[in-house]
Each structure stands twice: as C-alpha cells, then as structure tokens.
Amino acid sequence: PLRSTLLNSNSIWKKNGITVAGGNGAGASTNQLNVPHGLFVDDDQTLYIAEYGNSRIVEWKSGATNGRVIVGGNGSGSRLDQISNPGDVIVDKVRDCLFIGDSGNNRVLRWSLRGENTGEIITNDESRSGSLTMDEQGYLYVTDAHRQLVKRWGVGENQGVVVAGGNGVGDQLNQFNIPTKVFVDRDLSVYVSDGNNDRVMKWVKGANKGIVVAGGRGKGSSLSQLNYPEGVVVDQLGTVYVADRGNHRIMRWRKGAQEVLKETESMISHTKSSFIKSWKEFQHVYNTANNDDTLKQSKEYEEAQKIYDELNKAHQEDRLVQA
C-alpha cells in the first residue's frame, strides 16, 4: 500500500510529540494550517496535508518552517484550479500525481506533481467523498458518507464497485453510519472507521458483511470503546491503530483483541449466572433453617447468619447482580 504499514511490534512510543507542520495558530499563511483533515507522508518524510479550512493542499518538507501550496489556494470553489473542503490526499509516485478527496464538490481529483495548475476529475459520483486510500495494484478506494459505502475505482473506469456497505444507514454488520476513513491491507481487506457506530470494521475481499475489529461497544472512553473513530492504519501483524476523535487519543487494537473481549464477557456472564444460582440456593437453605428452632441454636446457623448479613448488605449496595 502507499501508506507505510511496517511497524515494529516492539516499538516504544514517545509520550510527547513534536510539531512538524503548523503550530502558529489557524490561518492561511504558509506557516499556518486551518483544520488539517488529511495527511500523507512519503518516503523522504515530506508531508502532504489536506487543509479543510483553507481549501488547499500543502507540501511540507521535513524540517521546514513553512509549507508550499501545491493545489488550490484560489479560494473555495468548483473550478478545476480550485478545491473545496478537501478531506484527504494521497500521493501516487508511480503516476507522479496526487489524488484528492474534494468533499465540498463531491468529487475525486487527480493532480499532476509536474507543476500543473488544474486537476482532472476522476469521479464526481461520490457524495461527501472524504477519505481515500490505494492498494498495491493502483485501485483507488473512496468513502461515501451519504450513501454509507466504500467504492473501489480502477484507472479509466467509469463506474466504481462497492466493496463495503451500501445497505443504508444502520449498525448491522453490512451497514455503516458515517464511514469516515478507509484503509486497505495487502490481502485487499478493507478497514473502515464507522464514525457514529463507534467501531472499526474489516471487510475481507468479496465479503457481503464486515467484522468488528475495534470498538463496537457503544460510545465511551473505556479501553474497549471508541468515540467517533476517524483515521485508521493496520500494520503487517494485523494490529489496528485508530484516531479516537471524541476521546482525543490514538488507540492500538491487537489482532484478536475483539475475540478476547468476547471470551472475557462470556466468562463474566457465566460467573454472574453461577453466583446468582448459588445466592438463590443459599437463600433457600437459610430460609429453611430460619424456620427450624433446633437449627437456629446451632453454630452452623450462627455462621450462616453472618454470611447472609454480609451478602445481603452487598446485595443492597448493588455490588451483586439482582436475581
């Protein structure tokens, strides 16, 4: 894939980052950014940034204090020398061009890196097209947040192919509720951040439904939850990295983490069921003894009384599951 996914599984991530572009407040100067929405990093660490707020694409060399406008910068509009609220950008070194998700114009543009001042419309079929990615064969994948799907486009094709979603808005495994970002791995499996469903879905090539690989447990901030996920990248081991927008954090989900969570939930459920059963049995025995004057005089009953009082106290404090 064009985006690097070779990550060392033993990497230790620094707690503090450094500013590599912008950092001078929101604005349109060459040392400023305004709502950076898409990012691509090439092999020499040059950044290509889709600026949603400035309707332009900026190239930012490694170590530079200023960027260079390479697309747009002519105001927001629909002319071929303009873009409007771009959502993403990727670089195709083979074709020496950029692909831009021109979301404000519901289109995808191809823009030469050879100094041309206008772009070429690849497709204007994508409503609210924001996120792009490309596989190793050169196919382009585009999210459509209005029709709740992801399409794959080949060079010169007039009609894209739906590879994920397309079954209306919803939370079923064959649906999305605002697909925000997309990634494709070497096996051509498509990973989609499903914004309003607070999950990341994996669609194996040719599948008619996806599987949840991150989140999917309601909106929240626990380590098993996401809150409107956006950017998603998957490494060579199947580890999923997610920009958890609503929680202002980056989450890492190792391959198989969802299965472990399901097994843990199953064990907890079984433990709760077993406890409830034991609690009911204890109540029955205790109540039987409580009606027998002889048993009430025994040491066993005295111990049972203490246990019952403790369990009942915990039960009243909602530390036990109600039967």
Side-chain angles (χ1 to χ4, degrees):
L2 292 178
R3 296 178 190 265
S4 175
T5 57
L6 294 176
L7 300 175
N8 190 328
S9 60
N10 296 318
S11 295
I12 298 176
W13 299 91
K14 293 183 178 179
K15 294 182 179 180
N16 298 304
I18 59 173
T19 300
V20 293
N24 298 297
S29 298
T30 56
N31 69 340
Q32 294 178 303
L33 298 172
N34 188 357
V35 193
H37 220 267
L39 175 69
F40 187 94
V41 186
D42 70 11
D43 294 337
D44 63 3
Q45 302 302 301
T46 297
L47 307 180
Y48 296 84
I49 306 166
E51 280 194 78
Y52 189 92
N54 283 328
S55 293
R56 67 187 186 184
I57 307 297
V58 176
E59 176 191 74
W60 209 294
K61 297 287 187 180
S62 178
T65 57
N66 290 72
R68 180 173 71 94
V69 178
I70 58 174
V71 173
N74 300 306
S76 178
S78 60
R79 298 195 313 260
L80 290 181
D81 66 339
Q82 294 177 307
I83 54 178
S84 177
N85 305 130
D88 209 353
V89 58
I90 57 177
V91 178
D92 185 348
K93 289 292 187 179
V94 175
R95 301 184 182 97
D96 198 24
C97 68
L98 302 175
F99 288 95
I100 303 162
D102 188 10
S103 58
N105 289 315
N106 298 328
R107 65 189 184 185
V108 176
L109 294 177
R110 178 167 54 198
W111 205 290
S112 174
L113 285 171
R114 298 171 184 171
E116 296 183 9
N117 296 320
T118 59
E120 174 190 1
I121 298 175
I122 299 301
T123 169
N124 57 6
D125 178 57
E126 307 310 296
S127 179
R128 294 175 64 185
S129 55
S131 178
L132 310 174
T133 194
M134 185 175 285
D135 64 26
E136 291 181 328
Q137 299 172 358
Y139 284 93
L140 193 66
Y141 296 73
V142 186
T143 61
D144 184 336
H146 179 69
R147 285 174 286 193
Q148 311 296 334
L149 55 82
V150 177
K151 274 188 179 181
R152 184 188 68 215
W153 292 82
V155 177
E157 289 184 351
N158 295 320
Q159 186 68 38
V161 177
V162 176
V163 294
N167 298 295
V169 62
D171 60 2
Q172 300 301 304
L173 294 180
N174 66 344
Q175 295 178 306
F176 294 123
N177 189 346
I178 309 298
T180 56
K181 297 292 182 179
V182 60
F183 181 90
V184 60
D185 68 13
R186 287 176 170 80
D187 297 324
L188 303 183
S189 292
V190 177
Y191 295 78
V192 185
S193 288
D194 190 6
N196 282 337
N197 282 326
D198 306 299
R199 65 188 183 183
V200 176
M201 302 290 291
K202 175 183 178 180
W203 290 64
V204 176
K205 183 181 178 181
N208 56 18
K209 64 180 179 180
I211 58 175
V212 180
V213 293
R217 286 172 166 75
K219 188 184 301 295
S221 59
S222 75
L223 294 182
S224 65
Q225 294 177 302
L226 296 170
N227 185 345
Y228 203 83
E230 290 216 30
V232 57
V233 174
V234 183
D235 69 14
Q236 73 278 11
L237 299 177
T239 302
V240 179
Y241 297 81
V242 189
D244 190 8
R245 174 177 171 176
N247 288 317
H248 310 288
R249 64 189 184 185
I250 305 296
M251 296 290 291
R252 178 176 65 192
W253 290 70
R254 296 190 185 278
K255 186 176 182 179
Q258 287 292 104
E259 286 71 19
V260 172
L261 282 172
K262 288 179 181 178
E263 290 179 6
T264 302
E265 289 172 347
S266 177
M267 290 174 62
I268 291 173
S269 177
H270 177 72
T271 301
K272 286 180 178 178
S273 297
S274 298
F275 184 82
I276 291 171
K277 181 179 179 181
S278 298
W279 171 240
K280 286 182 176 180
E281 290 174 350
F282 182 84
Q283 282 182 310
H284 174 71
V285 173
Y286 175 80
N287 290 333
T288 300
N290 202 36
N291 293 321
D292 189 311
D293 291 336
T294 301
L295 287 175
K296 288 173 69 173
Q297 303 302 317
S298 67
K299 290 184 179 180
E300 288 79 4
Y301 178 81
E302 184 178 343
E303 291 298 322
Q305 178 70 53
K306 292 179 181 179
I307 294 173
Y308 181 86
D309 290 342
E310 287 296 320
L311 290 175
N312 190 52
K313 180 181 178 182
H315 190 75
Q316 295 301 321
E317 292 176 353
D318 290 328
R319 285 192 280 126
L320 300 180
V321 178
Q322 295 289 341

Coordinates of all heavy atoms in Angstrom, one line a residue, residues 151-221:
K151 N -16.3 2.6 -2.2 CA -16.2 2.1 -3.6 C -14.7 2.0 -4.0 O -13.9 2.7 -3.5 CB -16.9 3.1 -4.6 CG -18.4 2.8 -4.8 CD -18.9 3.7 -5.9 CE -20.4 3.4 -6.1 NZ -20.9 4.3 -7.3
R152 N -14.5 1.0 -4.9 CA -13.2 0.8 -5.5 C -13.2 1.3 -6.9 O -14.1 0.9 -7.7 CB -12.7 -0.6 -5.4 CG -11.3 -0.9 -5.9 CD -11.0 -2.4 -6.0 NE -11.8 -3.0 -7.0 CZ -12.3 -4.2 -6.9 NH1 -12.1 -4.9 -5.8 NH2 -13.1 -4.7 -7.9
W153 N -12.2 2.1 -7.3 CA -12.2 2.6 -8.7 C -10.8 2.2 -9.3 O -9.8 2.4 -8.7 CB -12.3 4.1 -8.7 CG -13.6 4.7 -8.3 CD1 -14.1 4.8 -7.0 CD2 -14.7 5.1 -9.1 NE1 -15.3 5.3 -7.0 CE2 -15.7 5.5 -8.3 CE3 -14.8 5.1 -10.5 CZ2 -16.9 6.0 -8.8 CZ3 -16.0 5.6 -11.0 CH2 -17.1 6.0 -10.2
G154 N -10.9 1.7 -10.5 CA -9.7 1.4 -11.3 C -9.5 2.6 -12.3 O -10.4 3.4 -12.6
V155 N -8.2 2.7 -12.7 CA -7.8 3.8 -13.7 C -8.7 3.6 -14.9 O -8.7 2.6 -15.6 CB -6.3 3.7 -14.0 CG1 -6.0 4.8 -15.0 CG2 -5.5 3.9 -12.7
G156 N -9.3 4.7 -15.3 CA -10.1 4.7 -16.5 C -11.5 4.2 -16.4 O -12.3 4.2 -17.4
E157 N -11.9 3.7 -15.2 CA -13.2 3.1 -15.0 C -14.2 4.2 -14.9 O -14.0 5.2 -14.2 CB -13.3 2.2 -13.8 CG -12.5 0.9 -14.0 CD -12.7 0.0 -12.8 OE1 -13.2 0.5 -11.7 OE2 -12.2 -1.2 -12.8
N158 N -15.4 4.0 -15.5 CA -16.5 5.0 -15.4 C -17.5 4.7 -14.2 O -18.3 5.5 -13.9 CB -17.3 5.1 -16.7 CG -16.4 5.6 -17.8 OD1 -15.6 6.5 -17.6 ND2 -16.6 5.0 -19.0
Q159 N -17.3 3.5 -13.7 CA -18.2 3.0 -12.6 C -17.4 2.3 -11.6 O -16.7 1.3 -11.8 CB -19.3 2.1 -13.2 CG -20.4 1.7 -12.2 CD -21.3 2.9 -11.8 OE1 -21.6 3.8 -12.6 NE2 -21.6 3.0 -10.5
G160 N -17.5 2.8 -10.3 CA -16.9 2.1 -9.2 C -17.6 0.9 -8.8 O -18.8 0.7 -9.1
V161 N -16.9 0.1 -8.0 CA -17.5 -1.2 -7.4 C -17.6 -1.0 -5.9 O -16.7 -0.6 -5.2 CB -16.6 -2.4 -7.7 CG1 -17.2 -3.6 -7.1 CG2 -16.5 -2.6 -9.2
V162 N -18.8 -1.3 -5.4 CA -19.0 -1.2 -3.9 C -18.3 -2.4 -3.3 O -18.5 -3.5 -3.6 CB -20.5 -1.2 -3.5 CG1 -20.7 -1.3 -2.0 CG2 -21.2 0.0 -4.1
V163 N -17.4 -2.1 -2.3 CA -16.6 -3.2 -1.6 C -17.0 -3.3 -0.2 O -16.6 -4.2 0.5 CB -15.1 -3.0 -1.8 CG1 -14.7 -3.1 -3.3 CG2 -14.7 -1.6 -1.3
A164 N -17.7 -2.3 0.3 CA -18.2 -2.3 1.7 C -19.4 -1.4 1.9 O -19.5 -0.4 1.4 CB -17.0 -1.9 2.7
G165 N -20.4 -1.9 2.7 CA -21.6 -1.1 3.0 C -22.5 -1.1 1.8 O -22.6 -2.1 1.0
G166 N -23.2 0.0 1.6 CA -24.2 0.1 0.6 C -25.6 -0.4 0.9 O -26.4 -0.6 0.0
N167 N -25.8 -0.7 2.2 CA -27.1 -1.2 2.6 C -27.9 -0.3 3.5 O -28.6 -0.7 4.4 CB -26.9 -2.6 3.3 CG -26.3 -3.6 2.4 OD1 -26.9 -4.0 1.4 ND2 -25.0 -4.0 2.7
G168 N -27.6 1.0 3.3 CA -28.3 2.0 4.1 C -27.6 2.3 5.4 O -26.7 1.6 5.8
V169 N -28.1 3.3 6.1 CA -27.5 3.6 7.4 C -28.0 2.7 8.5 O -29.2 2.3 8.5 CB -27.8 5.1 7.8 CG1 -29.3 5.3 7.9 CG2 -27.1 5.5 9.0
G170 N -27.1 2.3 9.3 CA -27.5 1.3 10.4 C -26.3 0.8 11.1 O -25.2 1.2 10.9
D171 N -26.6 -0.1 12.1 CA -25.5 -0.7 12.9 C -25.3 -2.2 12.7 O -24.6 -2.8 13.5 CB -25.7 -0.4 14.4 CG -27.0 -0.9 14.9 OD1 -27.7 -1.6 14.2 OD2 -27.3 -0.7 16.1
Q172 N -26.0 -2.7 11.6 CA -25.8 -4.1 11.3 C -24.4 -4.3 10.7 O -23.7 -3.4 10.3 CB -26.8 -4.6 10.4 CG -28.3 -4.5 10.9 CD -28.5 -5.2 12.2 OE1 -28.2 -6.4 12.3 NE2 -28.9 -4.5 13.2
L173 N -23.9 -5.6 10.6 CA -22.6 -5.8 10.1 C -22.4 -5.6 8.6 O -21.3 -5.5 8.1 CB -22.2 -7.3 10.4 CG -22.1 -7.7 11.9 CD1 -21.7 -9.1 12.0 CD2 -21.0 -6.8 12.6
N174 N -23.5 -5.3 7.9 CA -23.4 -5.0 6.5 C -23.7 -3.5 6.3 O -24.0 -3.1 5.1 CB -24.3 -5.8 5.6 CG -25.8 -5.6 5.9 OD1 -26.2 -5.0 6.9 ND2 -26.7 -6.1 5.0
Q175 N -23.7 -2.7 7.3 CA -24.1 -1.3 7.2 C -23.0 -0.4 7.9 O -22.2 -0.8 8.6 CB -25.4 -1.0 7.9 CG -26.6 -1.7 7.3 CD -27.9 -1.5 8.1 OE1 -28.0 -1.7 9.3 NE2 -28.9 -1.0 7.4
F176 N -23.1 0.9 7.6 CA -22.3 1.9 8.2 C -23.2 3.1 8.7 O -24.4 3.2 8.2 CB -21.3 2.6 7.3 CG -20.2 1.6 6.8 CD1 -20.0 1.4 5.4 CD2 -19.4 1.0 7.7 CE1 -19.0 0.5 5.0 CE2 -18.4 0.1 7.3 CZ -18.2 -0.1 5.9
N177 N -22.7 3.9 9.6 CA -23.3 5.1 10.0 C -22.2 6.2 10.0 O -21.6 6.4 11.0 CB -24.0 5.0 11.4 CG -24.9 6.2 11.7 OD1 -24.8 7.2 11.0 ND2 -25.7 6.1 12.7
I178 N -22.0 6.7 8.8 CA -20.9 7.7 8.5 C -19.5 7.0 8.5 O -18.8 7.1 9.5 CB -20.9 8.9 9.5 CG1 -22.3 9.5 9.6 CG2 -19.9 9.9 9.0 CD1 -22.8 10.1 8.3
P179 N -19.2 6.4 7.4 CA -17.8 5.9 7.2 C -16.9 7.0 7.1 O -17.0 7.8 6.2 CB -17.9 5.0 6.0 CG -19.0 5.6 5.2 CD -20.0 6.1 6.2
T180 N -15.9 7.2 8.0 CA -15.0 8.4 8.0 C -13.7 8.2 7.3 O -13.3 9.0 6.5 CB -14.8 8.8 9.4 OG1 -14.2 7.7 10.2 CG2 -16.1 9.2 10.1
K181 N -13.0 7.1 7.5 CA -11.7 6.8 6.9 C -11.6 5.4 6.5 O -12.3 4.5 7.0 CB -10.6 7.1 7.9 CG -10.5 8.6 8.3 CD -10.1 9.5 7.2 CE -10.0 11.0 7.6 NZ -9.6 11.9 6.5
V182 N -10.7 5.1 5.5 CA -10.6 3.8 5.0 C -9.1 3.4 4.8 O -8.3 4.3 4.6 CB -11.3 3.7 3.6 CG1 -10.7 4.7 2.6 CG2 -11.3 2.3 3.0
F183 N -8.8 2.1 4.9 CA -7.5 1.6 4.8 C -7.6 0.2 4.1 O -8.6 -0.5 4.4 CB -6.8 1.4 6.1 CG -5.4 0.9 6.0 CD1 -4.3 1.7 5.9 CD2 -5.2 -0.5 6.1 CE1 -3.0 1.2 5.8 CE2 -3.9 -1.0 6.0 CZ -2.8 -0.1 5.8
V184 N -6.7 -0.1 3.2 CA -6.7 -1.5 2.6 C -5.4 -2.1 2.8 O -4.3 -1.5 2.7 CB -7.0 -1.4 1.1 CG1 -6.0 -0.5 0.4 CG2 -7.1 -2.7 0.4
D185 N -5.4 -3.4 3.2 CA -4.1 -4.1 3.5 C -3.7 -4.9 2.3 O -4.3 -4.9 1.2 CB -4.3 -5.0 4.7 CG -5.2 -6.2 4.6 OD1 -5.6 -6.5 3.4 OD2 -5.6 -6.8 5.6
R186 N -2.6 -5.7 2.5 CA -2.0 -6.4 1.3 C -2.9 -7.5 0.8 O -2.7 -8.0 -0.3 CB -0.6 -6.9 1.7 CG 0.4 -5.8 1.8 CD 1.8 -6.4 2.3 NE 2.8 -5.4 2.2 CZ 3.0 -4.4 3.0 NH1 2.2 -4.2 4.1 NH2 4.0 -3.5 2.9
D187 N -3.8 -8.0 1.7 CA -4.7 -9.0 1.3 C -6.0 -8.5 0.6 O -7.0 -9.2 0.4 CB -5.1 -9.9 2.5 CG -3.9 -10.6 3.0 OD1 -3.1 -11.1 2.2 OD2 -3.8 -10.8 4.3
L188 N -6.0 -7.1 0.5 CA -7.2 -6.4 -0.1 C -8.4 -6.4 0.8 O -9.5 -6.2 0.4 CB -7.5 -6.9 -1.5 CG -6.4 -6.9 -2.5 CD1 -6.9 -7.3 -3.9 CD2 -5.8 -5.5 -2.6
S189 N -8.1 -6.6 2.1 CA -9.2 -6.4 3.1 C -9.3 -4.9 3.3 O -8.3 -4.2 3.4 CB -8.9 -7.2 4.4 OG -8.9 -8.6 4.2
V190 N -10.6 -4.5 3.5 CA -10.8 -3.1 3.6 C -11.2 -2.8 5.1 O -12.1 -3.5 5.6 CB -12.0 -2.6 2.7 CG1 -12.3 -1.2 2.9 CG2 -11.6 -2.8 1.2
Y191 N -10.5 -1.8 5.7 CA -10.8 -1.4 7.1 C -11.5 -0.1 7.0 O -11.0 0.9 6.4 CB -9.6 -1.4 7.9 CG -8.9 -2.7 8.1 CD1 -8.1 -3.3 7.1 CD2 -9.0 -3.4 9.3 CE1 -7.5 -4.5 7.3 CE2 -8.4 -4.6 9.5 CZ -7.6 -5.2 8.5 OH -7.0 -6.4 8.7
V192 N -12.6 0.1 7.7 CA -13.4 1.3 7.7 C -13.7 1.8 9.1 O -14.3 1.0 9.9 CB -14.7 1.1 6.9 CG1 -15.4 2.5 6.7 CG2 -14.4 0.5 5.5
S193 N -13.4 3.1 9.4 CA -13.8 3.7 10.6 C -15.3 4.1 10.5 O -15.6 4.9 9.6 CB -12.9 4.9 11.0 OG -11.7 4.5 11.4
D194 N -16.1 3.5 11.3 CA -17.6 3.7 11.2 C -17.9 4.7 12.3 O -18.3 4.3 13.5 CB -18.2 2.3 11.4 CG -19.7 2.3 11.1 OD1 -20.2 3.4 10.7 OD2 -20.4 1.3 11.4
G195 N -17.9 6.0 12.0 CA -18.0 7.0 12.9 C -19.1 7.0 14.0 O -18.8 6.8 15.2
N196 N -20.3 7.0 13.6 CA -21.4 7.1 14.5 C -21.7 5.8 15.2 O -22.5 5.7 16.1 CB -22.7 7.7 13.9 CG -22.6 9.2 13.7 OD1 -21.9 9.8 14.4 ND2 -23.3 9.7 12.8
N197 N -21.1 4.7 14.7 CA -21.3 3.4 15.3 C -20.1 3.1 16.3 O -20.1 2.0 16.9 CB -21.4 2.3 14.3 CG -22.8 2.2 13.7 OD1 -23.8 2.5 14.4 ND2 -22.9 1.8 12.4
D198 N -19.2 4.0 16.3 CA -18.0 3.9 17.3 C -17.3 2.6 17.2 O -17.1 1.9 18.2 CB -18.5 4.2 18.7 CG -19.3 5.5 18.8 OD1 -18.7 6.5 18.6 OD2 -20.5 5.4 19.2
R199 N -16.9 2.3 15.9 CA -16.3 1.0 15.7 C -15.4 1.1 14.4 O -15.6 2.0 13.6 CB -17.3 -0.1 15.6 CG -18.2 0.0 14.3 CD -19.3 -1.0 14.3 NE -20.1 -0.9 13.1 CZ -21.2 -1.6 12.9 NH1 -21.7 -2.5 13.8 NH2 -21.9 -1.5 11.7
V200 N -14.5 0.1 14.3 CA -13.8 -0.1 13.1 C -14.2 -1.5 12.5 O -14.2 -2.5 13.2 CB -12.3 0.0 13.3 CG1 -11.5 -0.4 12.0 CG2 -11.9 1.3 13.8
M201 N -14.5 -1.5 11.2 CA -15.0 -2.7 10.6 C -13.9 -3.2 9.6 O -13.3 -2.4 8.9 CB -16.3 -2.5 9.8 CG -17.4 -2.0 10.7 SD -18.0 -3.2 11.8 CE -18.8 -4.4 10.6
K202 N -13.8 -4.5 9.5 CA -12.9 -5.1 8.5 C -13.8 -5.9 7.5 O -14.6 -6.8 7.9 CB -11.9 -6.1 9.1 CG -11.1 -6.9 8.1 CD -10.2 -7.9 8.9 CE -9.3 -8.7 7.9 NZ -8.4 -9.6 8.5
W203 N -13.6 -5.6 6.2 CA -14.4 -6.3 5.2 C -13.3 -7.1 4.3 O -12.5 -6.5 3.6 CB -15.1 -5.3 4.3 CG -16.3 -4.7 4.9 CD1 -16.2 -3.8 6.0 CD2 -17.7 -4.8 4.6 NE1 -17.5 -3.4 6.3 CE2 -18.4 -4.0 5.5 CE3 -18.4 -5.5 3.6 CZ2 -19.8 -3.9 5.4 CZ3 -19.7 -5.4 3.5 CH2 -20.4 -4.6 4.4
V204 N -13.4 -8.4 4.5 CA -12.5 -9.3 3.7 C -12.9 -9.2 2.2 O -14.1 -9.0 1.9 CB -12.6 -10.7 4.2 CG1 -11.7 -11.6 3.3 CG2 -12.1 -10.8 5.6
K205 N -12.0 -9.2 1.3 CA -12.3 -9.1 -0.1 C -13.4 -10.1 -0.5 O -13.4 -11.3 -0.2 CB -11.0 -9.4 -0.9 CG -11.2 -9.3 -2.4 CD -10.0 -9.6 -3.2 CE -10.2 -9.5 -4.7 NZ -9.0 -9.9 -5.5
G206 N -14.4 -9.5 -1.1 CA -15.6 -10.3 -1.6 C -16.6 -10.6 -0.6 O -17.7 -11.1 -0.9
A207 N -16.4 -10.1 0.7 CA -17.4 -10.4 1.7 C -18.7 -9.5 1.6 O -18.6 -8.4 1.0 CB -16.8 -10.1 3.1
N208 N -19.8 -9.9 2.0 CA -21.0 -9.1 2.0 C -21.4 -8.5 3.3 O -22.4 -7.9 3.5 CB -22.2 -9.9 1.5 CG -22.5 -11.2 2.3 OD1 -22.0 -11.3 3.4 ND2 -23.2 -12.1 1.7
K209 N -20.5 -8.7 4.3 CA -20.6 -8.0 5.6 C -19.2 -8.0 6.2 O -18.3 -8.7 5.9 CB -21.6 -8.7 6.5 CG -21.2 -10.1 6.9 CD -22.3 -10.7 7.8 CE -21.9 -12.2 8.2 NZ -22.9 -12.8 9.1
G210 N -19.1 -7.1 7.2 CA -17.8 -6.9 7.9 C -17.8 -7.5 9.2 O -18.8 -8.1 9.7
I211 N -16.6 -7.5 9.9 CA -16.5 -7.9 11.3 C -15.9 -6.7 12.0 O -15.2 -5.9 11.5 CB -15.6 -9.1 11.4 CG1 -14.2 -8.8 10.8 CG2 -16.2 -10.3 10.7 CD1 -13.2 -10.0 11.0
V212 N -16.3 -6.6 13.3 CA -15.8 -5.6 14.2 C -14.4 -5.9 14.7 O -14.2 -7.0 15.3 CB -16.8 -5.3 15.3 CG1 -16.2 -4.2 16.2 CG2 -18.2 -5.0 14.9
V213 N -13.4 -5.0 14.4 CA -12.1 -5.3 14.9 C -11.6 -4.3 16.0 O -10.6 -4.5 16.6 CB -11.1 -5.3 13.7 CG1 -11.3 -6.5 12.8 CG2 -11.1 -4.0 13.0
A214 N -12.4 -3.3 16.2 CA -12.1 -2.3 17.3 C -13.4 -1.6 17.7 O -14.2 -1.3 16.8 CB -11.1 -1.3 16.8
G215 N -13.6 -1.4 19.0 CA -14.8 -0.7 19.4 C -16.0 -1.6 19.3 O -16.0 -2.8 19.5
G216 N -17.2 -0.9 18.9 CA -18.4 -1.6 18.8 C -19.1 -1.9 20.1 O -20.0 -2.7 20.1
R217 N -18.7 -1.3 21.2 CA -19.3 -1.5 22.5 C -19.9 -0.2 23.0 O -19.9 0.1 24.2 CB -18.3 -2.0 23.4 CG -18.0 -3.5 23.2 CD -16.8 -4.0 24.0 NE -16.8 -5.4 23.9 CZ -16.4 -6.2 22.9 NH1 -16.0 -5.5 21.8 NH2 -16.4 -7.5 22.9
G218 N -20.5 0.6 22.1 CA -21.1 1.8 22.5 C -20.1 3.0 22.6 O -18.9 2.7 22.7
K219 N -20.6 4.2 22.5 CA -19.7 5.3 22.6 C -19.2 5.5 24.1 O -20.0 5.4 25.0 CB -20.5 6.6 22.2 CG -19.7 7.9 22.1 CD -20.5 9.1 21.8 CE -21.3 8.9 20.6 NZ -20.4 8.9 19.4
G220 N -17.9 5.6 24.2 CA -17.4 5.8 25.6 C -15.9 5.9 25.6 O -15.3 6.0 24.5
S221 N -15.3 6.0 26.8 CA -13.9 6.3 26.9 C -13.1 5.1 27.5 O -11.9 5.3 27.8 CB -13.7 7.6 27.7 OG -14.2 7.4 29.0

